[in-house]
Amino acid sequence: MSGDEVAERAAAVELAGRFKTEGNKYFKQKHMLAAIDSYSKAIQAVREYPAIDTPDCDTKIKELASVLYANRSAAELGFGDDHTARAEIFFNLGVTEDFVGQSVWEAEVLRKLDSAEKDARVAITFNELNAKAHFRLGSALLDLTQKDRDVMDRLDKLERAGVAFGRSNELQPAPATKTKYDQLTRMIAEERAMAKVNPVA
């Protein structure tokens, strides 16, 4: 690694670290929109490191990228409970707490859930051993099943969530993960039974 590459790497890590700390602060305060913004800036800083997408990129940078994507996924998962973000979106769009406003909010929450799933997947590509990334992938898929009316689509997401929670528990055993996995096993059995009762035409 040349001197310039060492300097670029150090600058990327330092800037990403600052934004990550900022994002963590907002996350603890449950300001998820602000946390998402800070994690996005941290990801951008790491992404500007030229070697990030090359096979010879060093492990530390990949692990940092994995943590950042997993953290943004967590903030996106918590977005639906961010009342400050809800008020801000309503104000910016000029909508109120009526049917239209609720529909706008639900659409935004769904977009964040989709992003949470994608970010968790990216986190896993950077570091397959990131247990939190697998847990967040499972959580996103589980939340997305609540938006699906199609039995087979729900079953597919539940099964993929089960795989994600199972992998998370293999990497970092935890009671909460095991509980989620057991809960999913029961839900999958129920959905399979429902799919047999209501077969696809």
Side-chain angles (χ1 to χ4, degrees):
M1 190 181 289
S2 70
D4 286 345
E5 288 173 330
V6 170
E8 285 173 346
R9 179 189 183 283
V13 169
E14 193 275 332
L15 184 59
R18 274 196 281 135
F19 283 126
K20 174 178 175 281
T21 299
E22 182 181 87
N24 290 348
K25 180 189 74 174
Y26 287 131
F27 186 88
K28 287 175 184 174
Q29 295 170 348
K30 300 194 184 303
H31 295 319
M32 298 306 175
L33 200 57
I36 290 167
D37 183 60
S38 294
Y39 292 137
S40 296
K41 289 174 181 173
I43 288 167
Q44 184 180 354
V46 169
R47 279 285 183 192
E48 287 176 0
Y49 175 60
I52 188 66
D53 289 315
T54 64
D56 58 344
C57 178
D58 69 272
T59 305
K60 290 292 182 187
I61 288 283
K62 287 187 174 181
E63 287 176 353
L64 175 59
S66 181
V67 167
L68 294 173
Y69 275 102
N71 283 8
R72 189 168 71 178
S73 178
E76 289 159 342
L77 284 167
F79 176 78
D81 298 321
D82 186 346
H83 301 295
T84 303
R86 183 186 177 104
E88 185 179 323
I89 287 171
F90 280 15
F91 177 80
N92 290 340
L93 295 176
V95 295
T96 57
E97 293 269 0
D98 56 10
F99 177 77
V100 173
Q102 184 62 26
S103 298
V104 168
W105 174 248
E106 287 176 0
E108 189 60 32
V109 170
L110 182 58
R111 275 195 290 273
K112 289 293 187 289
L113 286 177
D114 283 333
S115 295
E117 180 192 353
K118 290 171 186 169
D119 277 347
R121 289 188 187 283
V122 174
I124 291 166
T125 63
F126 276 115
N127 180 14
E128 202 281 328
L129 301 179
N130 186 339
K132 289 182 179 179
H134 288 282
F135 186 88
R136 277 148 201 173
L137 175 58
S139 297
L141 288 165
L142 186 56
D143 285 353
L144 284 166
T145 62
Q146 298 171 23
K147 312 295 180 183
D148 271 326
R149 294 183 180 177
D150 182 83
V151 174
M152 297 310 293
D153 285 345
R154 282 201 309 273
L155 182 57
D156 174 63
K157 286 187 176 71
L158 285 172
E159 288 176 340
R160 286 188 285 137
V163 171
F165 283 127
R167 182 62 177 142
S168 177
N169 197 55
E170 284 174 15
L171 293 167
Q172 189 176 325
T177 310
K178 182 68 167 60
T179 300
K180 285 270 191 185
Y181 183 77
D182 291 343
Q183 176 191 7
L184 266 172
T185 302
R186 290 192 297 272
M187 290 173 70
I188 290 168
E190 290 169 5
E191 289 290 336
R192 281 179 178 157
M194 193 178 297
K196 287 179 181 176
V197 173
N198 302 300
V200 177

